[in-house]
Amino acid sequence: MPTRDEILDIHNMCACSHIRMAARAVTRFYDEALRPSGIKGTQFVLLAAIEAGEATSITDLAEVIDIERTTLVRNLQLLRKEGLVSPLKGMNGRRKPALTEKGRQALETALPLWRSAQGEVEGRLGYGSWQVTRRRLGDLRKAVT
C-alpha cells in the first residue's frame, strides 16, 4: 500500500491532475464568457475550425484540432441537432462539416465575447507569459505523443 506521503505526491505533482484542473478552470471561464452567445467554448473552437475551411473531411478536422474522431463525430451530431452545422460532400466523396447560416451567426455573436475573454486571460497572465505558456503546452503535447 502506498504511504500517505506517496499519495500526497500524486496530488501535488501529477501532471495529468494539474493539467486537467487547469483545463476545467479555463473551460469554465470561456463557457461563462461565451454564455450570451448560446454556445460553449468547445463549440466555439469547433465552429471556428470548420469555418476556417482547412479540413477536407471529418478525419482531417479531427487532426487539425487534435481530438479523437469519435469524440468529434459526437460533437458534430450535437451541433447538427442545434442547426449549427450540416454535412457537405467534400473531396473524393468524403463528407465534411460546414456551418449553416445559424452556425455563422453563432460564431459571429461569440467572436467578440471570445476576444474579450482571450484578452482577459492574456492580461491576467501578461501577454509574454501567455506566449511562453502556449509554447510550453505545445511542448508538453509533443513530449507525450
Side-chain angles (χ1 to χ4, degrees):
M1 188 69 174
T3 68
R4 184 174 189 285
D5 287 343
E6 288 172 322
I7 296 298
L8 290 175
D9 275 349
I10 293 168
H11 175 72
N12 292 327
M13 299 301 294
C14 179
C16 182
S17 177
H18 281 273
I19 291 165
R20 290 178 59 87
M21 285 188 286
R24 286 190 296 268
V26 170
T27 298
R28 283 190 300 269
F29 176 81
Y30 278 88
D31 284 351
E32 183 61 32
L34 294 172
R35 179 171 285 154
S37 73
I39 62 174
K40 295 181 177 262
T42 52
Q43 293 171 318
F44 173 79
V45 170
L46 185 49
L47 292 176
I50 292 168
E51 188 65 6
E54 294 181 16
T56 60
S57 68
I58 291 173
T59 301
D60 287 345
L61 182 59
E63 289 176 14
V64 166
I65 62 174
D66 196 16
I67 187 173
E68 294 290 327
R69 189 181 186 284
T70 55
T71 302
L72 175 60
V73 168
R74 282 193 305 272
N75 289 334
L76 289 171
Q77 287 171 343
L78 293 173
L79 292 175
R80 188 174 181 189
K81 285 180 185 176
E82 292 178 29
L84 301 174
V85 300
S86 63
L88 284 182
K89 197 167 242 182
M91 294 174 47
N92 301 325
R94 296 162 75 189
R95 290 174 22 153
K96 71 176 204 170
L99 297 190
T100 62
E101 184 56 35
K102 183 178 178 183
R104 281 189 191 87
Q105 289 173 356
L107 183 60
E108 186 176 326
T109 300
L111 186 57
L113 299 170
W114 174 85
R115 283 184 179 131
S116 177
Q118 183 68 21
E120 192 169 336
V121 167
E122 291 174 7
R124 288 179 184 185
L125 284 177
Y127 182 76
S129 180
W130 163 239
Q131 293 305 313
V132 169
T133 300
R134 189 175 58 81
R135 281 193 302 276
R136 296 298 292 154
L137 288 170
D139 293 344
L140 179 61
R141 282 194 314 271
K142 290 176 188 171
V144 297
T145 56

